[in-house]
Amino acid sequence: MIRQFVIAALLVPVVGAPTRAASVDGESIVTRGTPQGATACAACHGKDGAGIAQAGYPRLAGLSAQYIVSQLDAFASQRRENAVMQPVAAALSDDQRQAVADYYAGLSLPEKPAQAEQTGDARRAVGQRLAEVGKWSEGVPACVRCHGLDGHGVDPYFPRLAGQHAAYIKAQLQAWKAGKRHNDALGLMQQVAGNLSDSEIEAVSAYFAAQAPGEQRVAGVERTRRAAAIATDSAPSASGDNNQAQDRPFTSPPESRIPDDELGKAVLTGKRVFVATPQYAGDYVGNALSCVNCHLDRGRRDASAPMGPAFVRYPRYRAKNHQVNTIEQRIQGCFTYSENGKPPPADSDVMKGLVSYFAFLATGAPANTDMKIAGFAGIDKAPQKPDPQRGAKVYAENCVICHGADGEGTKLGDDYQFPPLWGEASFNWGAGMHRINTAAAFIYSNMPLGREGFLSVQDAWDVAAWVDSHDRPQDPRFDGDVEATRAQFHNHNCYYGSKPPGDSASQ
Amino acid sequence: MIRQFVIAALLVPVVGAPTRAASVDGESIVTRGTPQGATACAACHGKDGAGIAQAGYPRLAGLSAQYIVSQLDAFASQRRENAVMQPVAAALSDDQRQAVADYYAGLSLPEKPAQAEQTGDARRAVGQRLAEVGKWSEGVPACVRCHGLDGHGVDPYFPRLAGQHAAYIKAQLQAWKAGKRHNDALGLMQQVAGNLSDSEIEAVSAYFAAQAPGEQRVAGVERTRRAAAIATDSAPSASGDNNQAQDRPFTSPPESRIPDDELGKAVLTGKRVFVATPQYAGDYVGNALSCVNCHLDRGRRDASAPMGPAFVRYPRYRAKNHQVNTIEQRIQGCFTYSENGKPPPADSDVMKGLVSYFAFLATGAPANTDMKIAGFAGIDKAPQKPDPQRGAKVYAENCVICHGADGEGTKLGDDYQFPPLWGEASFNWGAGMHRINTAAAFIYSNMPLGREGFLSVQDAWDVAAWVDSHDRPQDPRFDGDVEATRAQFHNHNCYYGSKPPGDSASQ
C-alpha cells in the first residue's frame, strides 16, 4: 500500500494506561482503610466488590482499574461530587488509588445479577429498547453502542453496566440529568441523560441491573441475533432540528410491523447484515465496518443517509460509475469500497436480505422520488481551509476515546465496538467517506455519538481532513499507476495519491 | 414435446381466403363497368385506385383483395350502408367482385400521401397518440395494435389506413359512432369509435391520411423505436368501471415526464424492451411474445397487471419458487416462462432498463405496499365447469381473427402483430397464463381488445380452457418425468401432462 500524505504524529493522552505502582497492598486498604484517614472501601462496597444494592452503593468488581482510578481521581479533585467519596479519595495517594482499583478489577464476577427485581414486561421492554435500540429521535443512541453488548463495558471509558445496582445507575443518570455530575467523557452522559424521562431512567437502570454481571462477553453475532429480533413500537427516527411535519412526511415503520412470514425473515436477515456486517456477510467484507457505522440508528437516521429514502431513489444514475445503478448495484458499491470487500451477487441471501430490509424501511415512501432527506445532511462551507493539523487536535479531544489514537477503533473481543477510521481495517480509498466533504458532513451531524452538534463547522472540516489524510486500503480501481488512478477517480476533495486536496476542499 | 390434452379440431371460417375466379377481367370492370349495370369503379376510385380525397372516395389501391371483397359482399347484402355502392356491388357477380378486388389490390402504391394537409402540431400529437398509444383509460387501444405499424394494415381484417383519405376515415368513424355502419369484425370499431370525440376523430383521420401509403412495412424494431420515443401528456391509464377516485389513488406519470438524462435513457430502453421484447431483448427471448402482450397499455392498464403497483410489491415471497424474490428475480421468471427464454442478468442493460421503466411507472406509489390493483382483475366463479369444447366456439367467434385458427397469432413481416396463444412460439407450461383461472381473468377483463367486457364469465372460462388445453413449450422445470413434474409444479388449474384439471378449475 501507498503511504499517503504524512502528517506529524500527535501525542494523544490516554487515561491511566499502565498501572502506577504494584507495591501497595490494595486488599489491606479495601478491608482496613489507611492511617491517613481513608475508611475501608469494603464497608460500603464489600470485600467482594458487590456493593449494596438497596443503598445504591455501586458494585466495583468487574469495573476496569483504569475506570476506578479515573473516578477516584475525580472524587479527589472534586470534579465528581460525593460527600463520602471525596474525602476518602483525597486521603489516598496515587499509588493507593491504583492498588485499590487493581484489587477490585481483579475480582471475579458472580454469574447472576445480585438482584432479580421483578419488573413488568412493559417497563422491561422500554429498558431493553433504550439499551439496545436507543431513542435516536431524541438524541439517545443505544446504550450498548458505547457500553458494549449487554452493557459489559468497553474499557477504559465506558464502564460495565451489567449487574450494576439499579439504584446506583439511576442516581448517576439523575445526577447527569440535573447537572450534578460532570466527569463523563465529552459530556456524553450529561447530554444523553438529559434526553431521558424519569420513567425511562427507571426502566433502563432496572434493565442493566438485571443483566448477569459475570456473563462472558458473547460474540457480537450472538448478541446481534437477539438485538436484531427486537421488535419495537417506538416512534420512528427523526432528527431533532428538522423534525417539522412539512419537512418530514416520511418515517420508517417500527420493527413490530416486520411481517411474520418469509419476507419478514428476509427483512430480519437484512437487518442483521446491516448492523453486524462482518459477522453476517463475512464472505463479502474485507474490513471491520458494518453498514450501521455510517447509516446510524439501523439505517433510519435522517442525518446519516437513511435507507428508506435511499431505496426509493433507485434505479438512479451515478457519476461514480457512469451508469444507471439498481439498488443492488448501489449496495455492491458499498461492499466494494466502504466494506473493502467484494460485491454480494444480486440473488444472494445477503443482497436479498438487505434489499428487503431497505424496502421495509421505505414502506409508504413514494417510489422513484427524491425525498430530499436522503444522504448525509449538509454542512456549510468551512470558514477557513480545512487543516489536518487543527483536525488532529479536534480528534484527540473528541474522537480518540472511541476511535483510538491511531484511528484503529476499539475492539470488544473479536468484534469492533467502535469502527476504525483509517488503516487496513477501515474503508478503502474508493469509499465515499474518504472524501473530506462527505466525512465533514457526516461528522458535523452525527459525531460525537450522542452529542452531535457539539463540533463547530470548522472543527468538523478539520477533523475530517485529519481522518482522511491517513492511509487506508487501496482503491480497488487502482490500475498500478497512482497518478493515473488519481486523475481518473479522485478529482475531488481527497488525499489520494499522497497529495493534499486543492482549494476546493472546503465546500 | 408432449402432446397435451387433445380436443377435436374446429373448423374456423376465414373470410375470402383463396380467389374465387381468375377469368374475369377486373380492369375492364373498373374502367368500363358491366352491362349488368355496375358503373365503372374508376369514376370515383380512379383507375389507379387513388380515390378522391376531397369527396371522401376511398383509396382502394393497397387494400387487400380479401378486404375489398368482404366490403363488396357487405354492400351487396346491405349489411353495409351506402346508396351508391349497394346497387353497384349487387350488380357484380362473386367472380366480378373478386376480379375488381384483385385489380385494386395489385396496384402499386404512391410513396407519398395524396394530400399533405397542414395540421397543427397539437392536433397531430392527438392523432399520433391515438394511433400509436391509444386512450386505454376510455376503452381505446392504439389503432396500430390492430391496423399495424403506421397503419399499413393487417390482412385480412384490419385495412390499411396509411394514406387513406382523411374525409373517408372520418366518415367511417362517424358512421360507426352513430351506429350507421355495422360490418366491422366483432363490432370492434363501433365500440372504439363510440369512445372517440369528434375532434379526436378529426385528428386521427388526419394523422393516418398523412402517412405514406407506399412506405414499406418497416421492421417492428424501427417503428417501435419511434413509438417508444413518443412522450405524451395524455391522462394516465384507468380501467373504465373501476375508475373511481377512492379506488384509484395511483396512476403512472405520463411519458413526457421521463427525464432527459441517463436514467431517462434507461427508462426508454426498458419501455422498448417491454413493448417489443423479441426485438430488443432477443438474447433472452425464446418465443414471439412481448411483455406488453399481457401487460397492456405499456404496462399501465389496471386490469392487466400494471407494472407500477407491481414494482412496489417487491421484494416479495413467491410460492412458485419458495423464496423471496427481488423485482429482478420476478422479471427473470417472466423471461424463463412467459417468454420461454432465459433470464437476463441482474446487471444487464435489458434488466436495468426494465427495472428503471417500472420504477418510472411506479413514481409516487407507496413503497412496499400492496396497492390492491396489481395483478389481473378477478373473475367470478364459472357458472358451469369450464368446457374447452364450448370454448372452441367462443374462440372461433371472437379470437381467431387476430390469434389465428390454430392459435398461431398473426405475423406482419417478421414480427408478430397478434401474439400466438399456443404452440412453440407462445408461452411455455411454466407461465402463469397456462393456468386456466389466470387466463380466464385476463380474457374477461381485456379481450377482445377494444371490446373488453363483451364476453360472459362463462365464455371467458371456456375459452381459457380451450386455449390452455393446447400444447406449448415444455416447462423448463421438467425433469424428464411428466407425472413427477405435474405433481411438483402443476397442482392447479391446468392441463399439464395431458390431464384435464380437476373440479376446482372453475374458481
Side-chain angles (χ1 to χ4, degrees):
Chain A
M1 283 305 307
I2 319 151
R3 182 62 198 173
Q4 305 295 333
F5 193 63
V6 178
I7 292 181
L10 185 89
L11 289 176
V12 176
V14 177
V15 172
T19 56
R20 302 181 206 180
S23 59
V24 181
D25 183 354
E27 180 173 343
S28 170
I29 300 170
V30 165
T31 52
R32 282 171 277 176
T34 67
Q36 290 78 21
T39 52
C41 311
C44 294
H45 297 287
K47 190 184 175 190
D48 62 357
I52 301 173
Q54 291 75 8
Y57 299 155
R59 179 192 300 280
L60 299 184
L63 294 177
S64 72
Q66 295 102 308
Y67 182 76
I68 296 174
V69 166
S70 71
Q71 299 308 307
L72 288 171
D73 288 349
F75 286 127
S77 65
Q78 303 193 10
R79 283 181 293 115
R80 180 170 176 184
E81 286 185 31
N82 186 289
V84 175
M85 284 304 302
Q86 283 177 346
V88 171
L92 294 173
S93 68
D94 283 357
D95 287 352
Q96 288 173 323
R97 290 175 203 159
Q98 185 67 49
V100 166
D102 287 342
Y103 171 81
Y104 277 121
L107 297 176
S108 63
L109 285 162
E111 288 188 5
K112 294 183 181 178
Q115 61 199 119
E117 186 189 349
Q118 293 299 317
T119 181
D121 286 347
R123 192 168 81 157
R124 182 184 155 78
V126 169
Q128 183 171 12
R129 197 181 65 223
L130 286 167
E132 300 191 342
V133 176
K135 187 177 67 164
W136 293 77
S137 61
E138 297 175 46
V140 181
C143 307
V144 302
R145 281 298 297 269
C146 292
H147 289 275
L149 298 166
D150 271 336
H152 284 286
V154 179
D155 299 332
Y157 298 97
F158 305 98
R160 179 188 297 270
L161 301 177
Q164 187 54 280
H165 307 308
Y168 177 74
I169 299 175
K170 174 183 169 184
Q172 301 312 305
L173 288 170
Q174 291 289 12
W176 275 308
K177 185 177 179 180
K180 293 182 181 170
R181 186 174 169 186
H182 313 278
N183 70 323
D184 49 331
L186 308 181
L188 290 174
M189 286 310 303
Q190 297 173 68
Q191 183 79 15
V192 168
N195 291 323
L196 295 174
S197 70
D198 289 349
S199 66
E200 287 173 333
I201 287 174
E202 290 273 0
V204 76
S205 300
Y207 175 78
F208 280 115
Q211 303 307 305
E215 185 179 283
Q216 287 299 308
R217 283 168 175 168
V218 294
V221 80
E222 288 301 321
R223 278 294 300 114
T224 305
R225 185 165 291 134
R226 208 184 86 202
I230 296 172
T232 166
D233 268 308
S234 69
S237 67
S239 63
D241 290 343
N242 296 318
N243 190 14
Q244 298 177 4
Q246 67 271 30
D247 291 332
R248 308 201 63 265
F250 174 73
T251 50
S252 292
E255 290 180 4
S256 58
R257 300 213 189 130
I258 296 174
D260 183 19
D261 59 14
E262 293 300 319
L263 179 58
K265 289 178 189 171
V267 171
L268 287 174
T269 293
K271 181 187 165 186
R272 282 192 283 269
V273 169
F274 195 83
V275 300
T277 318
Q279 290 82 0
Y280 282 99
D283 288 349
Y284 311 110
V285 175
N287 62 20
L289 303 186
S290 289
C291 309
V292 76
N293 289 140
C294 291
H295 306 276
L296 303 175
D297 191 17
R298 302 155 291 151
R300 293 167 175 263
R301 185 173 161 83
D302 276 5
S304 60
M307 302 321 300
F311 179 78
V312 295
R313 294 181 80 184
Y314 287 84
R316 182 184 179 202
Y317 177 79
R318 294 190 76 216
K320 182 166 183 171
N321 51 23
H322 308 294
Q323 59 174 302
V324 170
N325 288 211
T326 61
I327 185 69
E328 289 88 349
Q329 289 177 306
R330 180 65 188 86
I331 293 169
Q332 288 171 334
C334 275
F335 276 89
T336 302
Y337 303 111
S338 297
E339 296 291 321
N340 193 35
K342 57 185 182 183
D347 60 353
S348 62
D349 287 345
V350 164
M351 181 61 80
K352 288 165 66 175
L354 285 172
V355 174
S356 298
Y357 180 52
F358 299 167
F360 170 76
L361 291 176
T363 302
N368 194 38
T369 299
D370 184 348
M371 298 182 72
K372 309 288 186 196
I373 60 170
F376 297 123
I379 181 172
D380 290 340
K381 185 176 174 179
Q384 303 174 58
K385 183 176 176 180
D387 175 4
Q389 301 290 351
R390 283 197 307 267
K393 187 163 180 293
V394 177
Y395 187 88
E397 291 170 353
N398 297 282
C399 316
V400 74
I401 68 167
C402 293
H403 295 292
D406 198 28
E408 74 276 17
T410 301
K411 293 188 82 167
L412 190 66
D414 291 335
D415 302 321
Y416 277 82
Q417 178 70 21
F418 300 112
L421 302 186
W422 61 84
E424 286 302 314
S426 189
F427 54 90
N428 67 38
W429 281 103
M433 203 61 89
H434 94 282
R435 296 170 67 156
I436 301 171
N437 52 320
T438 302
F442 175 80
I443 291 166
Y444 182 68
S445 293
N446 297 289
M447 292 288 128
L449 200 65
R451 211 181 173 192
E452 63 277 4
F454 179 64
L455 297 180
S456 70
V457 169
Q458 187 67 54
D459 283 349
W461 279 103
D462 290 342
V463 76
W466 170 245
V467 167
D468 281 343
S469 66
H470 289 83
D471 202 9
R472 53 186 64 261
Q474 179 56 280
D475 189 327
R477 298 164 298 186
F478 177 62
D479 63 357
D481 180 334
V482 170
E483 281 306 312
T485 304
R486 179 179 168 91
Q488 188 174 0
F489 300 115
H490 294 272
N491 185 24
H492 47 228
N493 301 343
C494 81
Y495 285 93
Y496 183 84
S498 304
K499 289 186 180 177
D503 288 340
S504 67
S506 58
Q507 39 190 314
Chain B
M1 282 307 306
I2 319 150
R3 182 63 198 171
Q4 305 296 332
F5 193 64
V6 178
I7 292 180
L10 185 87
L11 288 178
V12 176
V14 176
V15 172
T19 57
R20 302 181 207 178
S23 59
V24 181
D25 183 354
E27 181 172 343
S28 171
I29 300 170
V30 166
T31 53
R32 283 171 277 175
T34 65
Q36 290 78 21
T39 52
C41 311
C44 294
H45 298 286
K47 189 183 175 191
D48 63 353
I52 299 174
Q54 292 75 10
Y57 299 155
R59 179 192 300 279
L60 300 184
L63 295 177
S64 72
Q66 296 102 308
Y67 182 76
I68 296 174
V69 166
S70 72
Q71 299 308 306
L72 288 170
D73 290 348
F75 285 127
S77 65
Q78 304 191 10
R79 283 182 293 113
R80 180 171 175 183
E81 286 185 31
N82 186 287
V84 174
M85 283 306 301
Q86 282 177 346
V88 173
L92 293 173
S93 69
D94 282 356
D95 286 352
Q96 288 172 322
R97 290 176 202 159
Q98 184 68 49
V100 166
D102 287 342
Y103 171 80
Y104 277 122
L107 297 176
S108 62
L109 284 162
E111 288 189 4
K112 295 183 179 178
Q115 61 197 121
E117 185 188 349
Q118 292 300 317
T119 182
D121 286 348
R123 193 169 78 159
R124 182 183 157 79
V126 169
Q128 183 172 13
R129 196 182 65 224
L130 286 167
E132 300 191 343
V133 176
K135 187 179 66 164
W136 292 78
S137 61
E138 297 174 46
V140 181
C143 307
V144 302
R145 281 300 296 268
C146 291
H147 289 275
L149 297 168
D150 271 337
H152 285 285
V154 179
D155 298 332
Y157 297 99
F158 304 98
R160 179 189 297 269
L161 301 178
Q164 189 53 281
H165 305 310
Y168 176 74
I169 300 175
K170 174 183 170 184
Q172 301 313 305
L173 288 169
Q174 292 288 11
W176 274 308
K177 185 176 178 180
K180 294 182 179 168
R181 184 173 170 186
H182 312 278
N183 70 322
D184 49 331
L186 308 181
L188 290 175
M189 285 310 302
Q190 298 174 66
Q191 182 79 16
V192 167
N195 291 323
L196 294 174
S197 70
D198 289 348
S199 65
E200 287 173 333
I201 287 174
E202 290 272 2
V204 77
S205 299
Y207 175 78
F208 280 115
Q211 303 307 305
E215 185 179 282
Q216 288 299 308
R217 284 169 174 163
V218 294
V221 78
E222 287 301 320
R223 277 295 301 115
T224 305
R225 183 165 292 133
R226 208 185 86 201
I230 297 173
T232 167
D233 268 309
S234 69
S237 66
S239 61
D241 291 342
N242 296 318
N243 188 14
Q244 298 178 4
Q246 66 273 27
D247 292 331
R248 308 200 64 263
F250 174 73
T251 49
S252 292
E255 291 181 5
S256 58
R257 299 213 190 131
I258 295 175
D260 182 20
D261 59 13
E262 293 300 318
L263 178 59
K265 289 178 189 170
V267 171
L268 287 173
T269 293
K271 182 187 164 185
R272 282 192 282 269
V273 169
F274 194 83
V275 301
T277 318
Q279 289 84 357
Y280 282 99
D283 288 348
Y284 311 110
V285 174
N287 61 19
L289 303 186
S290 288
C291 310
V292 77
N293 289 140
C294 291
H295 306 277
L296 303 175
D297 190 18
R298 302 155 290 150
R300 292 166 176 264
R301 185 174 160 82
D302 276 5
S304 60
M307 303 320 299
F311 179 78
V312 295
R313 293 180 80 184
Y314 287 84
R316 182 184 180 201
Y317 177 79
R318 295 190 76 216
K320 182 167 184 170
N321 51 23
H322 308 294
Q323 59 173 301
V324 170
N325 287 212
T326 60
I327 185 69
E328 289 89 350
Q329 289 178 305
R330 181 65 189 84
I331 292 169
Q332 289 171 334
C334 274
F335 276 88
T336 302
Y337 302 112
S338 297
E339 296 291 322
N340 193 35
K342 58 185 181 183
D347 60 353
S348 62
D349 287 345
V350 164
M351 180 61 81
K352 288 165 66 175
L354 286 171
V355 174
S356 297
Y357 180 53
F358 298 168
F360 170 75
L361 292 176
T363 302
N368 194 38
T369 300
D370 185 348
M371 298 182 70
K372 308 289 185 196
I373 60 172
F376 297 123
I379 182 172
D380 288 341
K381 184 176 175 178
Q384 303 175 58
K385 184 176 176 180
D387 176 4
Q389 300 290 351
R390 283 196 308 267
K393 187 162 179 295
V394 177
Y395 186 88
E397 292 170 352
N398 297 282
C399 317
V400 74
I401 68 167
C402 293
H403 295 291
D406 198 28
E408 73 276 19
T410 300
K411 293 187 83 167
L412 189 65
D414 290 336
D415 301 322
Y416 276 82
Q417 179 70 21
F418 300 112
L421 302 185
W422 61 85
E424 286 301 315
S426 188
F427 54 89
N428 68 38
W429 282 104
M433 203 61 88
H434 94 282
R435 298 171 65 156
I436 300 171
N437 51 320
T438 302
F442 175 79
I443 291 166
Y444 181 69
S445 293
N446 297 290
M447 292 288 129
L449 200 64
R451 211 180 173 192
E452 64 276 4
F454 179 65
L455 298 180
S456 70
V457 169
Q458 186 67 55
D459 283 349
W461 279 102
D462 289 344
V463 77
W466 170 245
V467 168
D468 281 344
S469 67
H470 290 82
D471 203 9
R472 55 185 65 261
Q474 180 56 281
D475 189 328
R477 300 165 296 188
F478 177 62
D479 63 356
D481 181 335
V482 169
E483 282 305 314
T485 303
R486 179 179 167 92
Q488 188 174 0
F489 300 115
H490 292 272
N491 186 24
H492 47 229
N493 300 343
C494 82
Y495 285 93
Y496 183 84
S498 304
K499 289 187 179 177
D503 288 338
S504 66
S506 58
Q507 40 191 311

